[in-house]
Amino acid sequence: MTKTILIAGTASHVGKSTVAAGLCRLLADRGVDVAPYKGQNMSNNARVVVRPDTDGKQGDETDTATDDRWGEIGVSQFVQARAARMTPTTDCNPVLLKPRGDGESQLVLQGEAHDHVPAGTYYEEYWDQAREAAEKSYRRLAADNDVIVAEGAGSIGEINLHDRDLANVETAEFADADILLLVDIERGGAFASLYGTIELVPDALRERIVGAVITKFRGDPSLLEPGIEEIESRTGVPILGVLPYDDPGLPEEDSVGLPGSEERGVVGDEDGVPDDRRLRIAVPRLPRISNATDLEALADEPGVSVVYVPVDGDGTADPLEGVDADAVVIPGTKNTVDDLLALHDAGFADALATFDGPVVGICGGYQMLGERITNAALEGTGTDDTVDGLGLLPVETRFEGDKRLEQTSVPVDGPASPLLSGADGPASGYEIHAGRTQALEDVHRPLGDSSAARGQVLGTYLHGLFDNESVRTAFLEHVAATAGVDWPPGAGTDTSPSAGSDTTGPTPYDRAARLVSEHVNLAALGEPFDE
């Protein structure tokens, strides 16, 4: 029978995704058939994957149609599937809620986008359908694998949700799962949180808890021993390990790891490169930002800082003032129209009109760069039918009811844009968007039909653009030349690979596996973890 371990938490952001990825890689390296699973996820960081057919097999790889073949899942399950050395499918995350603001989320069932629904409507009208989808996906994965590493969501101790907690309670029951409970000590109150959670979970689930792990600890673990002994005595749940504070470099599951929307924050500035050798990429911190992982490959480069700029001004001041930006990248968004209106209100249209450096828009950012968006009321909240864009590209986007989902590879025509003049292709990534964009005048197409470029401005629907080394290097070299910065950093500068590098030394998956194997008593989890 398939063994299932549910990685649950006392709260959100306690390290569940990292531990799940580490266990997937650990088992895969031992030759175990293992698959990740999360019954219900809430995230705007999604990836496009194949959808299993009714027999649980992958779709026809030769089929060029995109609507039926592809679906979307949360980024963490995509990453965990890669860690497990398996092809990710929508079964890995059968229910995905993508927040769009104003208390609504888009409901994605087995990869297919459905309505935008408030939380109450979801539980009243879609709950049974969602649970059925989650259990069917689990059964298909279990039929083909020896172990399922399931990730819970938020806190397993939310007593107001126990009768409808799909990712924790329901998964534990229909998967007959053992539970490994994680608590983040960096937040403070770890022992109280752990004790309270164990006391509040339903009795049937409490019996499934095989152990707990304390995460994100800085210091000497021996200092925790009195607390560990007491919590074990009070609860009967063994503490199986203490994970040191470490970031293996896995992509963030959601925007929680980003600077807040009302504060300026910098990512990638702790690599030892001096300021005079550093490039600064400004990124508007959109209120409804999605797929922000597109920026991680830039921040991982030595000598590159990604500066998140608040989108909360009243338009009276230049939002880029004081940023000293060498380039601007506008990322994706779950709600292009409302985030575009927010950019207008904050004065970004005027700021970008006078900005003389490179500007890139990805997905929703590409749509914003155009002259206008039509049929805007389909996506925006209380908007007119037509909304003015930022006016940096002669293109127009019209929203329609369907969504384009596709893993894709596009040709790279470097000479078509100075931003990519040194790049060659193809470049691989994925598209996940509503709306169709067409040119109003002649434009260059450096990344195929789903792109447009003019002068220092480039727009594209290709998520994962900067994950392509040739594209990333060409872009940064152009930014450096435009800014007069001597980049990349030279000899004598600390340019050791960041934790997120997947090309030099251990991969993030391997680092996560090592973190778990070195600091958790896996023998307590039984076969096949105890090898």
Side-chain angles (χ1 to χ4, degrees), residues 43-198:
S43 174
N44 274 330
N45 282 344
R47 291 290 186 273
V48 175
V49 300
V50 293
R51 298 174 63 187
D53 62 19
T54 54
D55 295 324
K57 300 176 182 178
Q58 294 177 21
D60 182 2
E61 293 290 338
T62 64
D63 186 1
T64 58
T66 61
D67 290 346
D68 294 331
R69 180 181 164 198
W70 305 105
E72 52 184 313
I73 64 173
V75 66
S76 288
Q77 281 62 63
F78 178 87
V79 168
Q80 290 158 13
R82 291 295 178 86
R85 304 187 192 278
M86 65 166 286
T87 300
T89 74
T90 54
D91 279 340
C92 295
N93 177 206
V95 181
L96 175 63
L97 296 169
K98 305 184 74 173
R100 68 189 303 264
D102 299 310
E104 286 189 348
S105 294
Q106 183 180 54
L107 173 62
V108 179
L109 291 178
Q110 291 180 322
E112 181 181 357
H114 290 260
D115 295 338
H116 291 103
V117 295
T121 301
Y122 167 64
Y123 287 115
E124 292 171 5
E125 300 182 11
Y126 291 95
W127 163 249
D128 291 337
Q129 185 180 355
R131 191 195 183 284
E132 181 181 5
E135 185 168 359
K136 282 184 177 180
S137 287
Y138 170 81
R139 299 296 177 201
R140 281 196 291 262
L141 288 176
D144 293 333
N145 292 276
D146 300 319
V147 177
I148 303 297
V149 177
E151 180 184 343
S155 169
I156 196 172
E158 301 291 356
I159 55 177
N160 57 311
L161 295 176
H162 278 168
D163 62 337
R164 50 189 173 176
D165 186 347
L166 183 50
N168 294 305
V169 177
E170 297 294 327
T171 294
E173 292 179 348
F174 65 62
D176 191 23
D178 292 335
I179 298 173
L180 183 65
L181 184 60
L182 272 55
V183 58
D184 174 6
I185 198 169
E186 190 180 45
R187 301 175 182 220
F191 291 116
S193 181
L194 189 59
Y195 181 79
T197 299
I198 294 171

Side-chain angles (χ1 to χ4, degrees), residues 20 168 175 228 253 256 349 357 416 528:
N168 294 305
I228 289 175
E253 182 176 27
V256 174

